[in-house]
Amino acid sequence: MRVTSVSEQGSTISNPVIPGFYPDPSVCRAGDDYYLACSSFEYFPGVPILHSRDLVHWTQIGNALDRPGQLRLPQDTASSGGIYAPTLRHHDGRFWLIVTNVSADGNLLVTATDPAGPWSDPILLPGVHGIDPDIAWDEDGNCWCTTAGVGQIRLDPHTGETFGERRQLWSGAPGAKAPEAPHLYRIGDHWYLLIAEGGTERGHGVSIARGSAPTGPFEPCPANPILTHRGTDHPIQNTGHADLVQGPDGSWWMVLLGVRPGGGTPGWHVLGRETCLAPVEWIDGWPVVGELSPVMPAPPWPLQPPAVAPERRDGFDVTELAPYWISLRHRPAEDCSTKERPGWLTLRARGASLDDADVTFVGRRQQHPSCRVRTLVDAAEGRGGLAVRLDENHHYSVEATSGQVQVAARIGPLNTVVASRPSPPGPVVLRVETAPVKTVNDARTGPDLVSLGFEEPDGTFVALASLDGRYLSTEVAGGFTGRVFGMFASTGSVHFDWFDYEPLEG
Ligand code: 6LW
């Protein structure tokens, strides 16, 4: 997804390798292919699955939980509830994905022969307690399920049956909060237990312990945490929640989440927690994490950027939406269709607005600090438009009704129309642009500006408002997600001819 540039010193790559709200990465290798899964919270479909041949360039190929029978997100699913922290593994010719639905089914497991799908119906795991489940198989074929805390239970992954009591394995550094995101691996002579600790905010870090058996006992690495950016001014913060994988040449790499705060103090991140890549070297039987920077040396194997650049425009000339489109809690076909008006996406309101859990919404993640989003909307039969969403309490929108375009802002309990203007006749192009603030001349400077408006028939952008982006940051809204740009309908039926997402320089 990121462009690789060649510098004078040689090839470089950009981090995050998967920009935007793709948190809690779990990665596995199958032959020459790599697959990666992320958390998805209140969004449907759930658990994005991405593919790569080089660990650097990733393409979303599907979602593991893309049928209502696999993913139950009841209407009272809070934003940042729902789906947390999967583990993805390739074992015995199959892909295994274990994950927690904190709002309905608890821990569950799905399998697939092709990670693009279809994935199986879920096997529920009522005997597995705790979030962030991991699965690992030992040489005798036992499957060990380790969860946040950090505890472990033996599991039959075919039936979901558990055996014995959950055993406490390790709590990370004494006094550190939130030992979580465990992953267990057999590497060389040892079993390694990798965890995150310190919480998923600025104190986040990665620690490791090793033992001679998957059940422990585990000896912590003397150099723990093996990765943290806490207390630094590194541009990538909150680094943690990692997984290990071997590159095509046998070298070791770590995928992990990080955020890019902007503005003054305390810093606000708006793209959510993003997936980064870092090299790992083994010294005396312990992993040592190398350079993790926004621009860093490329791995030594041939990079494989996508043959064609990702499409900027989705024209909705399809029957199925591309896998990067996400909705809230569910997506009933009768409310979201490309068949009603062929070549257009039709959204039918369910009586809910952006302030509600059940708004009819189809969006994609903001993946670049600076970008332009445009959509051509026909709102003759309803009311709807283009939103920048953090959650139902934090969103900006530019909305069309017959004859009017209106910009609105919801920030916590405050909900206000910021500007309103007669719109050109007929379908109208709505536009949102984000621009990071480059110069912080006041400690209170926000991270970016979000401009919202419409286009005159000649393409001129009429910005009705330019709003401080901090109010659509995770630090303000709370929770675990990032910004999503979405089309929505709040009354009647609203038709969208196309949607453009364009990264901008800077
Ligand atoms: C996830 C936990 C975490 O379950 O945040 O960063 C939680 N780590 O491991 C939600 O993503």
Side-chain angles (χ1 to χ4, degrees):
M1 283 190 181
R2 302 241 60 197
V3 178
T4 302
S5 60
V6 179
S7 70
E8 276 174 24
Q9 294 78 36
S11 187
T12 59
I13 64 164
S14 305
N15 254 321
V17 287
I18 308 176
F21 148 52
Y22 284 100
D24 304 330
S26 176
V27 66
C28 72
R29 180 179 177 180
D32 294 335
D33 296 290
Y34 294 92
Y35 298 96
L36 185 144
C38 295
S39 301
S40 50
F41 304 98
E42 73 270 28
Y43 289 95
F44 182 98
V47 190
I49 304 287
L50 297 100
H51 170 252
S52 174
R53 300 297 294 267
D54 63 7
L55 288 175
V56 174
H57 300 90
W58 292 90
T59 307
Q60 189 174 343
I61 55 169
N63 294 277
L65 306 178
D66 62 358
R67 306 187 296 273
Q70 295 171 304
L71 177 55
R72 291 199 304 128
L73 295 171
Q75 279 312 308
D76 62 358
T77 299
S79 289
S80 287
I83 293 295
Y84 280 27
T87 294
L88 178 62
R89 294 291 179 254
H90 185 237
H91 172 79
D92 220 5
R94 269 212 260 183
F95 293 88
W96 304 76
L97 187 135
I98 187 167
V99 68
T100 315
N101 181 342
V102 299
S103 302
D105 292 321
N107 287 304
L108 58 94
L109 193 151
V110 288
T111 66
T113 48
D114 180 351
W119 287 80
S120 70
D121 286 335
I123 297 167
L124 300 187
L125 308 172
V128 174
H129 300 291
I131 59 168
D132 302 353
D134 173 82
I135 36 171
W137 286 262
D138 68 19
E139 290 84 350
D140 301 324
N142 296 310
C143 176
W144 298 100
C145 180
T146 311
T147 54
V150 174
Q152 187 184 67
I153 197 161
R154 191 161 72 83
L155 173 72
D156 179 341
H158 299 275
T159 63
E161 191 183 350
T162 49
F163 306 96
E165 293 293 307
R166 182 178 196 267
R167 289 178 54 249
Q168 182 67 22
L169 293 185
W170 187 35
S171 304
K177 76 171 183 182
E180 59 189 10
H183 290 303
L184 187 65
Y185 319 85
R186 172 81 207 232
I187 299 172
D189 294 336
H190 296 283
W191 282 89
Y192 288 88
L193 178 58
L194 186 77
I195 66 164
E197 58 182 346
T200 194
E201 304 80 23
R202 296 290 190 273
H204 216 194
V206 180
S207 290
I208 198 162
R210 71 183 181 195
S212 56
T215 49
F218 290 99
E219 162 210 359
C221 174
N224 280 337
I226 59 169
L227 171 67
T228 186
H229 287 172
R230 65 179 71 125
T232 69
D233 58 8
H234 197 286
I236 301 176
Q237 288 288 319
N238 302 26
T239 48
H241 202 121
D243 200 2
L244 293 171
V245 68
Q246 273 183 288
D249 63 349
S251 59
W252 283 86
W253 294 78
M254 177 181 273
V255 295
L256 64 138
L257 72 77
V259 308
R260 293 182 279 175
T265 188
W268 297 268
H269 74 276
V270 301
L271 299 193
R273 298 171 301 158
E274 311 176 89
T275 287
C276 301
L277 182 70
V280 170
E281 229 189 304
W282 290 85
I283 299 176
D284 298 332
W286 292 110
V288 176
V289 185
E291 182 175 346
L292 162 56
S293 316
V295 179
M296 61 186 225
W301 53 80
L303 295 180
Q304 302 196 33
V308 283
E311 289 286 336
R312 183 208 285 188
R313 170 163 296 188
D314 194 327
F316 305 122
D317 301 307
V318 288
T319 47
E320 295 289 320
L321 287 181
Y324 56 80
W325 290 112
I326 47 178
S327 296
L328 288 161
R329 299 173 183 85
H330 62 156
R331 185 192 286 161
E334 63 272 22
D335 298 340
C336 171
S337 162
T338 51
K339 295 178 192 142
E340 188 171 326
R341 185 187 286 187
W344 294 64
L345 176 70
T346 297
L347 299 184
R348 193 176 62 83
R350 292 187 283 261
S353 75
L354 287 169
D355 303 318
D356 305 310
D358 201 25
V359 62
T360 307
F361 178 97
V362 174
R364 55 159 295 167
R365 296 156 176 88
Q366 180 178 348
Q367 294 192 277
H368 303 84
S370 186
C371 60
R372 176 180 299 141
V373 177
R374 304 162 65 233
T375 183
L376 177 61
V377 185
D378 177 354
E381 300 166 7
R383 191 184 179 102
L386 179 59
V388 192
R389 179 184 194 271
L390 225 295
D391 62 21
E392 62 276 15
N393 300 328
H394 301 85
H395 48 82
Y396 299 156
S397 60
V398 52
E399 191 173 50
T401 62
S402 41
Q404 285 284 317
V405 178
Q406 168 179 304
V407 170
R410 166 81 192 261
I411 303 166
L414 307 177
N415 206 349
T416 185
V417 172
V418 178
S420 171
R421 186 83 71 86
S423 69
V428 61
V429 176
L430 303 180
R431 196 202 274 204
V432 172
E433 291 186 2
T434 61
V437 172
K438 291 278 186 251
T439 311
V440 177
N441 42 23
D442 179 321
R444 301 162 299 170
T445 307
D448 66 347
L449 286 175
V450 182
S451 301
L452 305 102
F454 67 94
E455 289 182 11
E456 297 284 12
D458 67 359
T460 309
F461 181 34
V462 181
L464 295 180
S466 198
L467 305 175
D468 187 331
R470 83 180 70 198
Y471 306 111
L472 304 186
S473 70
T474 311
E475 283 79 2
V476 167
F480 300 120
T481 62
R483 281 190 197 154
V484 175
F485 292 121
M487 297 160 284
F488 68 97
S490 45
T491 63
S493 285
V494 183
H495 309 276
F496 299 85
D497 189 11
W498 45 258
F499 183 104
D500 277 1
Y501 176 95
E502 187 188 351
L504 301 175
E505 290 296 317

